Amino acid sequence: MASISQQNQAECREKAEYANVNWDELGFALTKTDYMYIMNFTLADDKFSQGNIIPFGNIQACPSSGILNYGQGLFEGLKAYRKEDEGILLFRPEENALRMKMGADRMCMPSPTVEQFIDAVKRTAVANKRWVPPHGKGSLYIRPLLMGTGQNLGLKPASEYTFLVYASPVGNYHKGELNFLVEDKVHRATPGGTGGVKAVTNYSPVYKPLTQAKAKGFSDVLFLDALTGSNIEEGSACNIFILKGNVISTPAADGTILPGITRKSIMELASGFGYQVEERVVPIKEVFDAEEVFCTGTAMVLKSVASITYQGKRIEYKSGAETVAQKLHATLTGIQSGAKEDKLGWTMAIA
Ligand SMILES: *Cc1c(COP(=O)(O)O)cnc(C)c1O
């Protein structure tokens, strides 16, 4: 009898500690969680007020707000992982905070400080702790938003801003192979534009070529530089790397490439493994004789590219076991989930 009641107690505890989610079925879609964080900025106060955790739900905005009319907004994305011992880790949140500051400067917005940003992310993750998937089953994707709110009909930066953080448990971003179609008409970013910051306006212009490529059976598009059309830049939401011999190359992040935190982390890990890592112009013709191609991003982490199609020609690459991509992926996810020792100080324990 004692053992049955102990078992019941354990089950009850488990119910309270985890949300009712089928953790094995998680993809990359919104699962509403319990709470979100919100903090406001007014020109009158000239600072962000004390932020609060509130129940997750819809928000109100003036029809003439800067975010709705002129797209004055930024987003971020980072993940919280559950360790085997149930502790929770964030991965390099200060990098997201710094990137938001950089983007806010470009978009003429005030930004939360690094401390305010990290505090908001931590509080959102801890408040939604029961939604952090069990170790090995995925992660809690955290989405900070910075938006021009208040009223704003004229062409000028908003007078009020809202910083909001919500979260959703996620699993695999991409199921199946990554097959890229090189897009040679539409450009993702232009020199002097906002492709180098996480502006909310970066993705919708990409939907058209992406939808067309998907209709032809591809999983993503690979964009070329707008000036010459002869160098690769990145996918619609991921950075790209090519491997040949001992050299791993990725397009330099000098304005038209989103400076990914996964990208930066992979460059550091690859250097540590003894690869020569080069950030430079990568001509499309080099892609033809690469041995491996892979892409990186918080949502997908790192994934091998199975093929790239350019002007009707399809090139296939090594993927799966015993690739460099596989080794980098295992190392990075090991560090992120606490399974591997974090010698670089990238993770932050929050619970
Ligand atoms: C967010 C994003 C990435 C990946 O950046 P991470 O910090 O690694 O998540 C790559 N490309 C674009 C266009 C992005 O918006």
Side-chain angles (χ1 to χ4, degrees):
M1 285 305 275
S3 75
I4 289 169
S5 94
Q6 269 166 11
Q7 196 183 333
N8 282 346
Q9 277 174 15
E11 270 168 18
C12 287
R13 244 193 337 263
E14 211 172 305
K15 279 199 185 102
E17 284 174 10
Y18 280 98
N20 185 17
V21 171
N22 185 348
W23 304 110
D24 295 311
E25 297 282 295
L26 282 175
F28 198 85
L30 180 72
T31 299
K32 292 178 181 173
T33 55
D34 300 323
Y35 299 103
M36 62 186 191
Y37 176 97
I38 203 156
M39 178 166 76
N40 294 308
F41 177 101
T42 57
L43 272 188
D45 291 345
D46 198 31
K47 63 173 185 348
F48 279 95
S49 61
Q50 194 62 41
N52 287 307
I53 290 284
I54 60 170
F56 178 92
N58 292 349
I59 54 169
Q60 289 201 328
C62 179
S64 82
S65 62
I67 183 71
L68 292 180
N69 293 256
Y70 307 130
Q72 196 189 13
L74 290 167
F75 68 102
E76 270 300 333
L78 70 161
K79 285 173 168 176
Y81 288 83
R82 198 182 286 269
K83 295 199 295 178
E84 201 147 24
D85 70 1
E86 301 285 320
I88 294 174
L89 297 176
L90 289 177
F91 184 71
R92 308 188 82 173
E94 66 288 348
E95 293 288 336
N96 298 86
L98 290 167
R99 189 166 64 188
M100 180 166 271
K101 273 177 80 101
M102 226 174 61
D105 181 62
R106 176 66 182 84
M107 303 294 283
C108 278
M109 298 195 275
S111 178
T113 63
V114 171
E115 293 72 30
Q116 283 173 320
F117 182 101
I118 294 176
D119 177 61
V121 164
K122 263 194 208 173
R123 285 170 66 186
T124 308
V126 170
N128 292 305
K129 196 173 163 201
R130 68 194 193 99
W131 299 93
V132 183
H135 181 76
K137 298 278 183 195
S139 57
L140 185 73
Y141 183 77
I142 304 167
R143 168 56 61 82
L145 291 173
L146 180 63
M147 309 174 274
T149 43
Q151 45 185 338
N152 191 39
L153 197 53
L155 197 59
K156 62 176 193 314
S159 54
E160 289 175 28
Y161 293 87
T162 300
F163 176 63
L164 187 152
V165 186
Y166 69 91
S168 171
V170 296
N172 262 342
Y173 184 67
H174 258 291
K175 297 199 171 106
E177 282 186 349
L178 267 188
N179 294 295
F180 274 93
L181 176 64
V182 177
E183 171 57 56
D184 52 11
K185 288 180 196 71
V186 175
H187 296 286
R188 193 198 75 85
T190 50
T194 56
V197 300
K198 256 178 135 58
V200 297
T201 47
N202 283 359
Y203 285 169
S204 47
V206 165
Y207 290 163
K208 190 171 179 181
L210 184 59
T211 306
Q212 288 168 344
K214 283 188 173 171
K216 292 181 201 152
F218 296 97
S219 41
D220 201 347
V221 282
L222 177 58
F223 289 102
L224 300 175
D225 76 295
L227 281 185
T228 69
S230 53
N231 306 313
I232 60 166
E233 293 217 312
E234 61 179 303
S236 44
C238 57
N239 296 115
I240 192 152
F241 290 81
I242 64 169
L243 167 99
K244 186 163 188 202
N246 191 46
V247 182
I248 294 180
S249 309
T250 192
D254 42 16
T256 55
I257 304 291
L258 197 289
I261 295 159
T262 322
R263 171 184 179 276
K264 181 175 178 176
S265 306
I266 286 299
M267 289 195 297
E268 291 176 55
L269 289 180
S271 298
F273 284 152
Y275 291 95
Q276 184 181 327
V277 177
E278 297 183 353
E279 277 184 277
R280 58 179 173 87
V281 168
V282 181
I284 178 76
K285 58 178 195 292
E286 273 191 46
V287 168
F288 289 110
D289 52 22
E291 287 154 30
E292 279 184 45
V293 177
F294 52 86
C295 42
T296 63
T298 296
M300 66 166 61
V301 185
L302 182 151
K303 203 168 154 99
S304 287
V305 172
S307 77
I308 295 181
T309 300
Y310 179 55
Q311 295 177 340
K313 189 172 167 205
R314 179 181 164 109
I315 315 118
E316 290 181 353
Y317 303 100
K318 204 160 54 168
S319 61
E322 286 169 36
T323 53
V324 175
Q326 171 66 36
K327 180 168 135 183
L328 288 167
H329 176 270
T331 307
L332 184 57
T333 53
I335 295 170
Q336 290 172 326
S337 64
K340 275 198 160 68
E341 193 195 345
D342 173 19
K343 291 181 195 136
L344 298 152
W346 283 347
T347 57
M348 180 185 281
I350 56 165

